[in-house]
Amino acid sequence: MKPVICFSDLTHVGHSCNSMPYGIGLVAAYAKKELGDGVDISLFKAVDDLIAHVEATTPHLACFSNYIWNKNLSYEVAKRIKERSPETIVVFGGPNYPLEEGGQVKFMADHPAIDFYFVKEGEIAFTAFLQEMLNCDFDVRGLKEQRKRLDNCNYIIDGDFICGGLADRPENMDDLPSPYLNGLLDPFLTQGLMPLIQTARGCPFKCTFCQEGVEYYNRVKRYSRERIKSELEYIAQRSSFPDVHCIDSNFGMFKGDIDIASDIHACHKKYGWPKYFIGLSGKNQKAKVLEAASIIRGEDAKGPDVWLSASVQSLDQGVLDSIKRGNVAKEELMFVATESDGGSGGSATSFSELILCLPGDTKKAHFDSVRELIDAGMTVVRSHQFIMLNGSEAATEADRQKFGMVTRFRITPATTDSHEIYGEKFTAPEIDEICVANNTMPFEGYIDCRMLNLSLEIFYNNDLFSELTKLLRWHDVSISNFVMNVHERATSPESPLVDLYEDFLRETKELFKTEEEAADYLKQPGVLERYVDGELGNNEQMLYRAVAIVHHMDKLHDMAFGAGKEMLKSKGVKNEKLLDYIDELAEYSLLRKRDILSLEAGGDKKFNFDFVDLEACNFNGDPLSFLLSKEKSISFKRTREQKDYITSYKKLYGDTDAGIGNILGMAANVSSLYRHVESA
């Protein structure tokens, strides 16, 4: 009988990390290449699919990926498999594993169902281990008693922690077979999961908050262009999902990325896929990144929409020094922002990421970084929580002590789904550790920054009010001042959004001092049900952005256009026609964006300004030159492509407020969701 091996990259039902199981696919593909038909390999993404498999067939090896979003889920399933079938060997691998040996020993001791843990890259090391298992007829105890040091592998035997050395990384990345091209991922291409591609591994930067900041990953190694091109065409002919996500750490920064950008455009031209390319993430060489974006879009700007990323984390030099971050120059940020609006066809999103409460961070540093990114013209200024990632330098005890980090624990959003295996029902909520204060930022400053970040999500990110902000720029009004003005209005006691911000603040403070305290809270009567119902445990920024946009779009327009009009008047703007334009622009904008995920049209409306032509030129120019001699009727419609796009995202993420938060915040080019306009 062939050894039965199942690889699982599990995800919680409704969680945003709903992408192809690419990582385990790579490990399984290499094992299949080396061992051929000598092993029976199956891959799983959905928990219930794995459960059905192991209930019907007892695996020799049960292998699980370990990320911050699925560790507890994977372990609770693995533990129950081990209890039912002690002879099944449980293997874990993935980046969510401590960097220091002391932490590794504790992790393994706390998770006794895990027989072996593989660190760093796993293809070659796991296959060598599998050959060892075959040679000893799966006698785990016998192998462990030899205390043999296996490459990239940790295990415990009789209280002794055995840590193998790190194997050399492959010189030729094409020696690792593609799980797409060998068909291993075929079952997932039609399930509505987002396809992932990787053109290179490694990162030359040493950021302490990142798991790839360690020396092991500092040398970048690339797959061949021919392989990537073949994968793109293979996915294009089979995937039911409109977008693709490149998971490289710095795509666009290297010379070879330009060729792949051409292949992405050619793939779109031939198959109409992908509709949207996510992953232009090069941290330096922004001119090359922009060139790649322009090539993907094409000279006619009819290629895939693109997402340009500037992961700056902070613009404060003290913070950057503390996290060993070789950052991008501010001039390059400005170049990215302006070119993404025009040079790449007007359909690129320039995406900048900040991390709140990094070592050395302060309230002033965070607010200043937000201002600078806005004034650079970045279309998305997103702030993330500083999660203490196992495997990163920042999560080590030395860094925690050095920077006086105060951490708290939270229930990870959308991880309280329940399942049943062997007749036993169980849940496995994930718990994040986040930094909420340090020796330069008190908790109160952290809260103020979180409130600002919600205002950014609602009023600024993804250019929700780009037509207005372009008018303000035309009249030399600072957009960062506009955002701060609207933020003050939105958070004032008289604000029509006061309840929304109070709810956000309440959920932001749902924190626990220890992981055990968080787990115990979930065991209290009725608490888990409140998380399942969405009353507790949401991604606060994404959820309350969705609530604001879906349920309060009229109020948002009143607040934003009211602030804009007031700031223009304070600049000395008195032209009545221009003030009339602002009022009509507010009506036009609202008709495009109200009920943003509805498939329904918005009807017809007469205007004194030619908004169809203004839309065609991306609202660049003097709006008064578009004043009409007589009213013009404009239709607000849904295209077939938009209906398909919206339907596919709702299928993947759902249409709850939390699901819509994922769509608006992580997955979609939001402007593509606005209604199409044409002359009636």
Side-chain angles (χ1 to χ4, degrees):
M1 178 182 176
K2 294 180 183 178
V4 176
I5 305 172
C6 55
F7 289 88
S8 301
D9 179 28
L10 302 183
T11 186
H12 289 271
V13 177
H15 193 271
S16 61
C17 293
N18 212 347
S19 53
M20 299 284 290
Y22 179 70
I24 60 170
L26 285 162
V27 178
Y30 190 80
K32 194 77 174 172
K33 170 191 171 186
E34 294 298 309
L35 301 175
D37 294 331
V39 291
D40 180 356
I41 290 177
S42 301
L43 272 63
F44 298 92
K45 184 72 178 181
V47 186
D48 292 342
D49 290 346
L50 171 64
I51 290 172
H53 177 77
V54 299
E55 286 182 335
T57 306
T58 301
H60 292 80
L61 268 79
C63 308
F64 296 86
S65 66
N66 176 23
Y67 298 98
I68 60 171
W69 56 82
N70 74 353
K71 187 261 285 184
N72 289 345
L73 178 61
S74 296
Y75 187 72
E76 288 302 317
V77 174
K79 182 173 69 173
R80 286 162 173 80
I81 293 173
K82 194 74 170 176
E83 290 169 352
R84 174 59 65 96
S85 171
E87 68 274 14
T88 295
I89 302 168
V90 173
V91 176
F92 268 54
N96 187 28
Y97 189 66
L99 191 62
E100 301 164 300
E101 183 171 309
Q104 294 172 351
V105 173
K106 184 177 187 305
F107 182 96
M108 294 296 285
D110 290 344
H111 301 85
I114 299 175
D115 293 302
F116 299 93
Y117 199 103
F118 282 85
V119 301
K120 306 299 188 288
E121 295 176 359
E123 294 94 340
I124 297 174
F126 174 81
T127 300
F129 157 80
L130 184 53
Q131 188 63 64
E132 291 274 359
M133 287 288 99
L134 291 167
N135 293 341
C136 70
D137 197 25
F138 291 89
D139 178 9
V140 173
R141 179 74 188 180
L143 178 69
K144 285 188 172 183
E145 284 180 343
Q146 298 177 41
R147 287 168 168 72
K148 190 169 185 178
R149 297 187 181 276
L150 305 170
D151 285 344
N152 294 31
C153 182
N154 295 348
Y155 61 90
I156 288 179
I157 175 69
D158 296 334
D160 293 338
F161 180 71
I162 310 301
C163 179
L166 294 179
D168 292 335
R169 298 173 65 201
E171 288 300 322
N172 183 358
M173 293 299 291
D174 283 358
D175 287 343
L176 308 178
S178 166
Y180 288 113
L181 302 180
N182 69 7
L184 272 175
L185 296 180
D186 279 1
F188 307 98
L189 284 167
T190 57
Q191 292 181 11
L193 300 175
M194 180 180 287
L196 305 177
I197 63 168
Q198 184 180 57
T199 76
R201 283 193 201 173
C203 179
F205 302 99
K206 300 181 182 296
C207 312
T208 64
F209 57 85
C210 178
Q211 291 155 326
E212 285 200 350
V214 296
E215 184 179 355
Y216 179 88
Y217 291 111
N218 285 159
R219 185 180 173 193
V220 178
K221 299 193 173 186
R222 303 184 62 84
Y223 295 102
S224 69
R225 179 184 182 183
E226 292 72 22
R227 173 197 173 111
I228 303 304
K229 184 177 180 180
S230 297
E231 284 188 331
L232 287 167
E233 295 219 352
Y234 191 94
I235 299 168
Q237 297 174 66
R238 294 166 177 81
S239 177
S240 62
F241 197 81
D243 306 341
V244 67
H245 186 177
C246 178
I247 58 173
D248 294 17
S249 296
N250 293 282
F251 183 76
M253 198 173 87
F254 304 105
K255 183 178 179 181
D257 297 339
I258 300 301
D259 292 333
I260 295 170
S262 298
D263 296 334
I264 294 166
H265 179 79
C267 187
H268 175 87
K269 193 171 183 179
K270 184 175 181 180
Y271 299 103
W273 183 94
K275 304 291 186 189
Y276 196 67
F277 179 82
I278 303 168
L280 277 162
S281 54
K283 298 177 184 65
N284 281 326
Q285 303 294 326
K286 289 300 180 181
K288 287 183 180 177
V289 175
L290 288 167
E291 182 184 359
S294 181
I295 290 170
I296 291 171
R297 288 291 292 146
E299 292 182 2
D300 57 2
K302 293 182 179 179
D305 291 342
V306 296
W307 186 290
L308 288 163
S309 176
S311 299
V312 297
Q313 277 66 61
S314 175
L315 293 177
D316 181 82
Q317 194 57 51
V319 176
L320 298 178
D321 291 342
S322 296
I323 61 175
K324 301 180 182 178
R325 180 71 162 91
N327 222 45
V328 61
K330 295 176 186 178
E331 294 77 14
E332 291 201 39
L333 278 178
M334 180 71 78
F335 187 44
V336 169
T338 56
E339 288 298 310
S340 67
D341 187 47
S344 56
S347 294
T349 300
S350 54
F351 181 86
S352 57
E353 293 180 301
L354 297 170
I355 299 179
L356 176 61
C357 215
L358 285 168
D361 204 3
T362 65
K363 175 182 173 180
K364 181 180 184 303
H366 188 76
F367 271 58
D368 287 348
S369 293
V370 167
R371 279 184 170 277
E372 288 190 58
L373 289 167
I374 291 173
D375 289 335
M378 304 301 294
T379 51
V380 175
V381 180
R382 177 148 298 143
S383 180
H384 298 287
Q385 301 271 50
F386 177 24
I387 298 177
M388 309 303 289
L389 292 177
N390 276 325
S392 69
E393 183 180 340
T396 62
E397 191 59 34
D399 265 32
R400 291 169 184 260
Q401 294 295 328
K402 179 179 179 181
F403 297 105
M405 296 183 201
V406 177
T407 66
R408 292 290 182 266
F409 294 82
R410 64 174 184 182
I411 314 300
T412 308
T415 63
T416 53
D417 46 321
S418 62
H419 302 276
E420 183 175 331
I421 183 171
Y422 305 127
E424 178 191 0
K425 292 185 178 180
F426 71 97
T427 58
E430 309 297 336
I431 299 174
D432 290 333
E433 183 185 10
I434 59 174
C435 186
V436 299
N438 57 36
N439 52 19
T440 55
M441 179 182 283
F443 182 69
E444 293 75 19
Y446 161 85
I447 290 296
D448 289 343
C449 292
R450 289 281 287 162
M451 295 286 276
L452 173 65
N453 295 335
L454 176 60
S455 293
L456 273 174
E457 291 292 350
I458 295 174
F459 292 101
Y460 183 77
N461 282 352
N462 291 108
D463 276 344
L464 185 64
F465 295 108
S466 65
E467 306 94 338
L468 174 61
T469 55
K470 286 188 177 183
L471 176 67
L472 296 177
R473 282 194 178 96
W474 182 264
H475 290 277
D476 295 323
V477 174
S478 164
I479 304 305
S480 64
N481 285 346
F482 164 73
V483 171
M484 295 300 173
N485 186 316
V486 177
H487 172 61
E488 290 178 8
R489 289 168 179 248
T491 54
S492 72
E494 299 79 23
S495 167
L497 299 177
V498 65
D499 290 341
L500 182 143
Y501 276 86
E502 286 181 355
D503 287 344
F504 169 77
L505 189 58
R506 170 182 53 79
E507 292 205 31
T508 295
K509 292 181 177 180
E510 284 175 7
L511 302 170
F512 304 90
K513 290 184 178 180
T514 65
E515 185 173 0
E516 292 73 23
E517 182 182 322
D520 289 343
Y521 177 67
L522 285 169
K523 295 175 184 176
Q524 295 179 15
V527 170
L528 186 63
E529 289 75 12
R530 294 173 68 192
Y531 276 87
V532 172
D533 292 341
E535 182 184 347
L536 299 174
N538 296 292
N539 181 322
E540 302 92 5
Q541 282 185 192
M542 296 299 102
L543 171 67
Y544 285 99
R545 180 184 188 221
V547 170
I549 290 175
V550 172
H551 302 294
H552 302 289
M553 187 66 88
D554 294 59
K555 296 174 185 175
L556 303 186
H557 275 71
D558 289 344
M559 199 170 292
F561 279 87
K565 199 170 185 178
E566 180 182 283
M567 295 181 78
L568 284 170
K569 286 181 178 179
S570 68
K571 271 280 189 177
V573 174
K574 298 178 181 179
N575 188 314
E576 289 299 325
K577 286 187 172 59
L578 184 62
L579 298 177
D580 290 341
Y581 167 77
I582 296 173
D583 293 335
E584 286 203 8
L585 179 61
E587 291 184 74
Y588 169 83
S589 175
L590 189 56
L591 284 168
R592 289 196 75 203
K593 301 162 190 174
R594 181 189 282 142
D595 298 326
I596 194 168
L597 292 180
S598 168
L599 301 182
E600 299 299 319
D604 296 350
K605 173 76 176 176
K606 290 183 177 180
F607 294 95
N608 290 295
F609 292 85
D610 194 339
F611 287 110
V612 175
D613 282 357
L614 273 162
E615 194 71 50
C617 72
N618 210 18
F619 284 84
N620 293 315
D622 183 359
L624 295 183
S625 64
F626 293 86
L627 179 64
L628 299 166
S629 57
K630 63 177 182 178
E631 287 184 325
K632 178 178 183 177
S633 186
I634 296 176
S635 293
F636 297 81
K637 297 182 176 182
R638 285 294 188 202
T639 65
R640 170 50 56 190
E641 185 178 46
Q642 280 185 318
K643 290 180 179 179
D644 292 343
Y645 197 69
I646 291 170
T647 300
S648 67
Y649 272 113
K650 282 186 175 181
K651 182 179 178 181
L652 181 61
Y653 293 110
D655 57 3
T656 63
D657 286 340
I660 293 170
N662 287 328
I663 295 172
L664 298 180
M666 303 176 199
N669 175 14
V670 177
S671 63
S672 68
L673 303 175
Y674 304 158
R675 287 175 181 80
H676 175 72
V677 295
E678 60 184 47
S679 299

